[in-house]
């Protein structure tokens, strides 16, 4: 059960930032005994892989704090973040080998990790334009820094205290629901406001005489 909780925490963190949880797992596996990865995930502790991930993380930190650019980056990350979530979930399950169900079905860990990271990513990507529009772009770096901090904290908790990480994940889901409700209320209060883009992968269309809707 702990392997599942660790995997969920890491994959949720990947939905906010693809590289932080992978770096956390790789660095802890390389320099400590807190994470002992099996041979098939040994590449996560390779120095060259960690250096490349650090460079990608640096670029992500910068791009995600620039209004408009952050939305483009989110579109690109629609593939990368779920893939990262699947990898860290599978690595956590493989390191723990505590859950027979996952051990008997190896692809299940990847599927759960991808789904968890994708759900968090789509929520993040759909809410960021709202923040940018509401703050004229000044809120982007603040929110991005908060997301990076949550991703790092969630990654560490997933390894060190999986149960606490689960509680944090529940709070994160609750906050996302509340923000979505505020978004709907804002749209209802100001129907003449221009449509805001939703999560990557969703199209918008307009019907004559109406504000538009999802396809």
């Amino acid at each position: 059960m702990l392997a599942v909780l660790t995997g969920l925490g890491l994959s949720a963190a990947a939905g906010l930032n693809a590289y932080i949880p992978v770096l956390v797992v790789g660095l802890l596996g390389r320099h400590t005994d807190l994470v002992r990865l099996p041979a098939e995930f040994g590449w996560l502790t390779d120095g060259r892989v960690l250096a490349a991930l650090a460079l990608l993380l640096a670029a992500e930190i910068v791009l995600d704090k620039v209004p408009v650019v952050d939305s483009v980056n989110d579109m690109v990350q629609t593939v990368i973040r779920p893939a990262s979530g699947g990898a860290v979930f599978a690595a956590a399950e493989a390191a723990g080998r505590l859950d027979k169900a996952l051990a008997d079905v190896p692809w299940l860990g990847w599927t759960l990790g991808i789904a968890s990271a994708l759900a968090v990513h789509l929520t993040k990507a759909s809410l960021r334009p709202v923040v940018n529009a509401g703050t004229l772009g000044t809120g982007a770096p603040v929110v991005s820094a908060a997301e990076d901090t949550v991703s790092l904290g969630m990654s560490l908790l997933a390894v060190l205290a999986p149960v606490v990480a689960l509680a944090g994940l529940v709070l994160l889901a609750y906050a996302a629901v509340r923000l979505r409700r505020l978004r709907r209320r804002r749209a209802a209060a100001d129907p003449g406001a221009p449509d805001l883009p939703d999560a990557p992968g969703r199209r918008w269309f307009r019907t004559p005489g109406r504000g538009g809707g999802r396809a």
Side-chain angles (χ1 to χ4, degrees):
M1 183 63 183
L2 289 179
V4 173
L5 297 182
T6 297
L8 282 174
L10 289 170
S11 58
L16 293 173
N17 188 301
Y19 311 111
I20 288 178
V22 183
L23 269 172
V24 166
V25 170
L27 289 172
L28 290 178
R30 181 180 177 90
H31 298 293
T32 75
D33 293 327
L34 294 173
V35 175
R36 296 184 179 180
L37 296 172
E40 62 263 35
F41 287 97
W43 57 272
L44 286 174
T45 63
D46 186 275
R48 292 165 296 182
V49 173
L50 293 174
L53 288 171
L55 290 175
L56 290 171
L57 174 59
E60 166 81 356
I61 288 174
V62 173
L63 294 175
D64 198 51
K65 291 174 175 57
V66 181
V68 180
V69 175
D70 60 348
S71 295
V72 176
N73 181 56
D74 279 340
M75 293 180 66
V76 175
Q77 293 291 328
T78 300
V79 174
I80 299 174
R81 287 174 186 153
S84 174
V88 290
F89 194 114
E93 181 275 321
R97 298 295 184 193
L98 297 177
D99 298 275
K100 188 175 186 302
L102 291 181
D104 291 342
V105 189
W107 55 264
L108 186 57
W110 282 91
T111 302
L112 290 174
I114 289 172
S116 177
L118 182 61
V120 175
H121 163 72
L122 291 178
T123 301
K124 162 189 161 63
S126 64
L127 293 176
R128 180 60 70 84
V130 179
V131 173
N132 289 343
T135 64
L136 299 180
T138 59
V142 176
V143 173
S144 177
E147 291 169 350
D148 293 341
T149 301
V150 171
S151 181
L152 177 59
M154 182 70 72
S155 298
L156 293 174
L157 285 174
V159 175
L160 302 176
V163 176
V164 179
L166 177 62
L169 187 57
V170 171
L171 290 175
L172 190 63
Y174 174 76
V177 170
R178 293 288 297 175
L179 287 171
R180 280 187 174 275
R181 287 178 179 174
L182 288 174
R183 179 186 181 184
R184 293 193 187 102
R185 289 175 185 172
R186 176 184 181 275
D190 188 10
D195 286 336
L196 293 173
D198 210 326
R202 295 181 182 178
R203 311 187 276 116
W204 287 75
F205 67 88
R206 289 188 174 277
T207 302
R210 301 182 61 185
R214 286 194 189 108

